[in-house]
Amino acid sequence: MDHDGIDVVDCDLLIVGSGFAGLWAAISARSKGVKRIAIADKGAISLTSQSKMAAGATIFCLPQHRPDEWLDDMARANSYLSRQDILSLILETSYSRLRKLESWGIEYMRLPGGGYFTLPSRGFERARMLVVPKGSGSRGGSAVVRAMLRQVKAPPDFEHRVDLYPRKMITGIMVRGGRAVGAVGVDRRTAEPIAFRSRAVILAGADCSFRGNYLCVDQVTGDAFKLAYDAGVRLNNMEFLVSNTGSPRYGFEGTGMAARFARFLDRDLQPFMKRYHPRADSAEIRYIVQAMADQLLQGNGPPFFFDMSSKPSSYIIHMLLDRIGNMVPLNLERLRETGVDVFRGPQEWVPAVHSLRGGIRTSTDCMSDLPGLFAAGLSQSVDPGLFNGWSSMRAMWSGERSGEAAAGFVLSCDDAGRDPGEEKELARRALAPLRCRGGSDPDGVCAALQRAVFPYGVSVCKDAGSLSGALREVERLRDELVPALSAEDPHQLVKAHETANMVAVAELYLRVSLIRQESRADHFRVDFPSTDDESWLAWINVRREPDGSASFEREDVPLDRYPFGPDLKSDRIREVGAAR
Amino acid sequence: MIDRIDEELCLGCGNCDVCCPMDVIHLDPPSRKAKIRYRDDCMTCYNCELTCPVGAVRVDPARRERTQAWEADCALGTGALIASGSDADANSGGEGGVS
Ligand SMILES: Cc1cc2nc3c(=O)[nH]c(=O)nc-3n(C[C@H](O)[C@H](O)[C@H](O)COP(=O)(O)OP(=O)(O)OC[C@H]3O[C@@H](n4cnc5c(N)ncnc54)[C@H](O)[C@@H]3O)c2cc1C
Ligand code: SF4
Ligand code: SF4
């Protein structure tokens, strides 16, 4: 069906994004009786997602493990800003998802005796992950998304359909009668607008990387955050921007797996992590990144180095990396061809801006404040930290859960009707950059945004002065350059939207970072270096008011309902300058 | 960064076009050959090379220049940093192995 040049799709449930979360949502919504499901993705269906490129290490709590112990560790590692209600659900049900994956043909690495081979997840004391999934000739996340895609494409009957819409970038959510009733987007190759009319929408479009220097995340531009924000729902944990580490020159996956086997060195090739953390080089990545920033202040870098050459560690890491599949073995081979053997000696290494860990605040059913709008995967806010193997498990759980909950919603509500006027207006806005000739160039605006947000004083060791300066620059981008973003072709059109989304998300990041006057998890304020549980054991929710302004509210963590909390009497002050 | 596509070898299957997350490669309809359209957007994910059935695509491991944290004007505060805090009691995460 068409009107005003807009392609119209009628469906019951629209899923935006086709990584682990989006695919699992489709499978579970269909199994609960939803008949017409549409999956839209701005790239290929699942094959361009982070999930496809992931190494596939995933935290599964096996029957012999204690979910309560893992929850304790996770709550502590996230400085008690985790949604412990959601974490409990994830851990208690994770084994059932492992069994489902196995029934779909996925096998995780096993020991010669038959038991699962597991690795500790960097930063947690007890939680462990299964690694190197394989199936149908591929490995890693690629094997997992392919197995899931086969399920999606194999409908149990003709009544229950999942239709796939690749290369459709969603740019606006339709809200009517106080609920989400679909979305509008554009085709990435033709710039033709498309409207999805649905009874519910699941946002599974992942998080925001600001096109930082971590690998394979340039397509992760905060679209889902901006879509939800514009729809008026609350987001939180937006102050938690996590950096990983990596080479400034080439991509490298495996810093997490290399925990316990490798060392970080300063410019004189001296190890420094022992001075910063009792777990030294196996500490959570956040401590390594913060230590690098401190070393920089002391003049000990850059450059910094990462050394995986000591035996037998180099052998173990090498063995694991070669098995991961995806790009990893090919990348290592290409590096060797160009004279770089990452296992031979110290490699130049830098912090790499990776992921904004906040997201859409939801119920345990994954529904946002707006009825009919659900969030899954990294679009949902669950906890502020980045831990190996946890993102995948979160995406799988929330995919399954949001699919079930959305099914319940879809089957109990009426058709929302149609409003071609609203579709037309959203389509007009989606195409605006094509009409704006000679305006600002998306790449230029993106580079200016990165120069504002990536400096250490803004991304790692924040202080009021640096954050305020960055905010002024981001506001200038928002007011002067974003409205004039221009696109010469559909490719640029997508980049214009992605850039506008990143600018909007950066503004929220900076504003909330200024509000939280303490240090917690990856939010480190040099001017407020202590963790202040008395005042700040709370989430900062942000939402867009009808007049377009942002409003902020504090929401206390409900420790009375959660199993684990900090000992408020203990001295939780970080030892400022202890490394000196 | 993507280095080249060998047009002699290319069968025009379109796999690399479909699997490129950054829309760098387009299959050119008249010639049915894959072309590099937006090289500067390449993020060195190797998806194209991994998916090509005939080995026509080659990706170089070097990545495009990236904005680094210390390159920008970096006004760091004077107080410093971390150390153990609430994690001081945390110890080993255990060795890799059986569970
Ligand atoms: C190189 C790499 C290795 C990793 N390794 C691991 C690992 O070993 N273990 C682990 O747990 N985690 C790992 N991760 C992280 C993990 O892959 C992700 O956290 C997880 O896969 C996220 O799943 P998701 O479904 O939320 O999002 P994604 O898999 O990113 O899928 C989101 C989808 O939404 C689409 N989308 C976004 N915006 C829009 C829009 N506006 N319109 C339409 N579609 C849109 C995207 O194109 C994408 O396909 C890794 C990540 C990377 C990049
Ligand atoms: S390496 Fe990745 S981003 Fe670059 S052209 Fe190939 S598929 Fe596209
Ligand atoms: S995948 Fe290979 S054969 Fe297929 S279009 Fe691309 S270059 Fe040509």
Side-chain angles (χ1 to χ4, degrees):
Chain A
M1 207 202 320
D2 255 298
H3 72 84
D4 297 310
I6 304 174
D7 204 4
V8 176
V9 174
D10 279 298
C11 56
D12 296 317
L13 173 63
L14 170 66
I15 299 171
V16 181
S18 58
F20 295 145
L23 292 178
W24 210 309
I27 296 165
S28 93
R30 188 181 58 202
S31 75
K32 296 289 173 193
V34 180
K35 289 191 177 156
R36 297 172 309 163
I37 300 171
I39 305 183
D41 199 295
K42 68 179 175 180
I45 296 299
S46 80
L47 300 180
T48 53
S49 65
Q50 289 181 89
S51 301
K52 188 269 167 190
M53 287 174 274
T58 304
I59 291 180
F60 286 105
C61 193
L62 304 176
Q64 65 267 38
H65 295 137
R66 296 264 311 268
D68 54 334
E69 289 180 352
W70 290 23
L71 177 60
D72 183 7
D73 289 352
M74 290 176 170
R76 180 152 21 97
N78 284 297
S79 303
Y80 301 97
L81 278 194
S82 300
R83 283 286 300 268
Q84 292 184 37
D85 47 353
I86 291 183
L87 261 60
S88 298
L89 289 169
I90 299 179
L91 292 171
E92 279 158 17
T93 58
S94 77
Y95 185 59
S96 73
R97 279 183 298 284
L98 173 61
R99 297 310 303 269
K100 250 184 211 165
L101 286 169
E102 288 175 338
S103 75
W104 298 339
I106 291 298
E107 288 172 32
Y108 285 85
M109 198 166 158
R110 286 183 182 262
L111 292 160
Y116 291 109
F117 176 86
T118 66
L119 282 177
S121 169
R122 181 191 273 276
F124 291 140
E125 285 170 61
R126 288 167 283 203
R128 304 184 73 87
M129 25 182 218
L130 303 195
V131 296
V132 196
K134 38 178 198 179
S136 328
S138 42
R139 287 164 191 260
S142 174
V144 178
V145 292
R146 281 171 212 274
M148 291 170 68
L149 197 52
R150 269 199 307 279
Q151 295 301 312
V152 167
K153 286 180 172 170
D157 59 60
F158 288 112
E159 270 213 304
H160 298 81
R161 279 195 348 245
V162 182
D163 292 325
L164 307 177
Y165 295 88
R167 285 190 186 140
K168 308 291 183 217
M169 182 184 193
I170 300 301
T171 54
I173 300 290
M174 293 197 278
V175 181
R176 212 160 41 250
R179 57 184 254 231
V181 294
V184 168
V186 287
D187 186 284
R188 182 169 200 155
R189 283 289 163 85
T190 63
E192 278 162 17
I194 183 165
F196 294 88
R197 295 173 180 164
S198 64
R199 293 170 190 230
V201 178
I202 298 177
L203 284 176
D207 50 320
C208 187
S209 74
F210 299 112
R211 295 205 216 286
N213 49 357
Y214 193 64
L215 76 163
C216 301
V217 289
D218 283 5
Q219 78 287 32
V220 186
T221 51
D223 306 359
F225 296 167
K226 176 68 166 24
L227 287 165
Y229 181 70
D230 286 348
V233 309
R234 278 179 289 184
L235 310 179
N236 65 27
N237 282 342
M238 296 302 278
E239 64 275 47
F240 296 99
L241 176 63
V242 172
S243 288
N244 211 309
T245 66
S247 161
R249 275 175 258 293
Y250 54 82
F252 180 81
E253 201 175 331
T255 332
M257 284 197 195
R260 316 181 57 71
F261 301 125
R263 292 181 316 159
F264 293 89
L265 309 173
D266 67 13
R267 64 150 35 119
D268 300 321
L269 300 180
Q270 295 305 310
F272 52 85
M273 277 312 299
K274 270 204 184 110
R275 278 175 276 154
Y276 290 91
H277 199 278
R279 283 204 300 272
D281 297 294
S282 347
E284 285 152 65
I285 288 287
R286 78 169 64 115
Y287 294 114
I288 288 156
V289 171
Q290 291 175 1
M292 279 182 175
D294 192 48
Q295 288 289 304
L296 172 116
L297 270 180
Q298 297 182 42
N300 296 338
F304 301 103
F305 296 92
F306 188 52
D307 183 11
M308 294 185 280
S309 62
S310 70
K311 306 233 173 353
S313 34
S314 62
Y315 170 77
I316 297 170
I317 305 168
H318 203 153
M319 185 267 298
L320 280 171
L321 292 183
D322 261 343
R323 279 182 167 70
I324 286 180
N326 264 348
M327 65 169 291
V328 176
L330 178 58
N331 188 42
L332 292 176
E333 184 189 319
R334 277 296 136 75
L335 285 167
R336 272 193 294 270
E337 284 167 21
T338 50
V340 180
D341 185 342
V342 296
F343 304 106
R344 267 283 156 77
Q347 302 293 309
E348 188 182 344
W349 224 245
V350 292
V353 170
H354 181 167
S355 167
L356 197 129
R357 303 305 283 181
I360 301 162
R361 179 187 179 280
T362 71
S363 62
T364 49
D365 271 345
C366 303
M367 190 152 88
S368 73
D369 298 333
L370 180 68
L373 186 65
F374 295 79
L378 293 188
S379 300
Q380 181 192 33
S381 175
V382 172
D383 45 20
L386 174 73
F387 298 95
N388 300 121
W390 183 238
S391 303
S392 296
M393 182 35 58
R394 267 181 55 184
M396 291 176 186
W397 170 80
S398 56
E400 185 178 45
R401 181 89 173 182
S402 64
E404 281 168 16
F409 186 89
V410 162
L411 298 177
S412 66
C413 72
D414 304 331
D415 191 349
R418 50 218 51 184
D419 179 357
E422 186 187 14
E423 288 163 6
K424 206 170 150 188
E425 172 54 20
L426 285 174
R428 191 191 64 75
R429 279 191 235 157
L431 299 179
L434 285 174
R435 291 188 298 271
C436 178
R437 293 284 161 181
S440 38
D441 150 51
D443 286 336
V445 179
C446 179
L449 179 73
Q450 293 176 334
R451 284 195 299 274
V453 175
F454 289 4
Y456 278 157
V458 184
S459 64
V460 183
C461 309
K462 314 176 195 180
D463 67 75
S466 309
L467 289 168
S468 305
L471 181 59
R472 278 195 296 280
E473 170 63 358
V474 169
E475 285 170 342
R476 183 186 74 81
L477 300 178
R478 178 198 70 192
D479 295 338
E480 295 174 18
L481 300 187
V482 168
L485 276 167
S486 95
E488 282 171 8
D489 60 13
H491 176 86
Q492 291 272 359
L493 177 64
V494 167
K495 284 173 73 174
H497 283 291
E498 291 177 333
T499 303
N501 293 343
M502 288 188 282
V503 170
V505 172
E507 183 185 342
L508 299 182
Y509 164 68
L510 295 168
R511 286 190 184 283
V512 186
S513 293
L514 275 162
I515 293 174
R516 186 177 287 283
Q517 296 190 337
E518 63 144 5
S519 293
R520 185 180 294 275
D522 287 83
H523 170 78
F524 182 65
R525 284 284 300 259
V526 182
D527 42 0
F528 296 97
S530 309
T531 298
D532 179 359
D533 287 329
E534 299 288 348
S535 321
W536 284 110
L537 206 45
W539 291 290
I540 301 169
N541 295 327
V542 51
R543 67 187 279 258
R544 185 178 190 272
E545 294 298 327
D547 67 2
S549 64
S551 69
F552 303 88
E553 80 187 5
R554 255 181 70 116
E555 179 185 356
D556 285 334
V557 176
L559 286 175
D560 50 329
R561 286 191 274 121
Y562 283 176
F564 300 102
D567 173 5
L568 290 179
K569 290 187 288 302
S570 74
D571 175 18
R572 296 174 48 75
I573 294 179
R574 292 173 187 233
E575 293 169 34
V576 180
R580 302 280 166 96
Chain B
M1 172 100 72
I2 185 163
D3 179 24
R4 58 177 185 269
I5 298 177
D6 186 334
E7 291 198 11
E8 299 269 299
L9 288 177
C10 173
L11 304 170
C13 70
N15 283 358
C16 56
D17 173 341
V18 168
C19 290
C20 175
M22 302 309 294
D23 195 38
V24 169
I25 304 174
H26 287 208
L27 193 68
D28 176 47
S31 65
R32 298 286 308 160
K33 298 287 178 189
K35 309 260 185 203
I36 301 172
R37 283 284 298 277
Y38 302 98
R39 188 191 300 269
D40 291 348
D41 290 336
C42 175
M43 65 171 179
T44 318
C45 70
Y46 293 90
N47 264 5
C48 49
E49 180 166 345
L50 288 167
T51 194
C52 178
V54 291
V57 189
R58 182 162 169 114
V59 177
D60 188 272
R63 302 163 81 206
R64 69 171 170 76
E65 291 268 310
R66 308 241 153 199
T67 308
Q68 303 293 348
W70 52 77
E71 283 168 359
D73 189 18
C74 176
L76 272 178
T78 46
L81 277 199
I82 47 167
S84 39
S86 60
D87 262 337
D89 53 342
N91 43 52
S92 145
E95 299 299 329
V98 205
S99 60

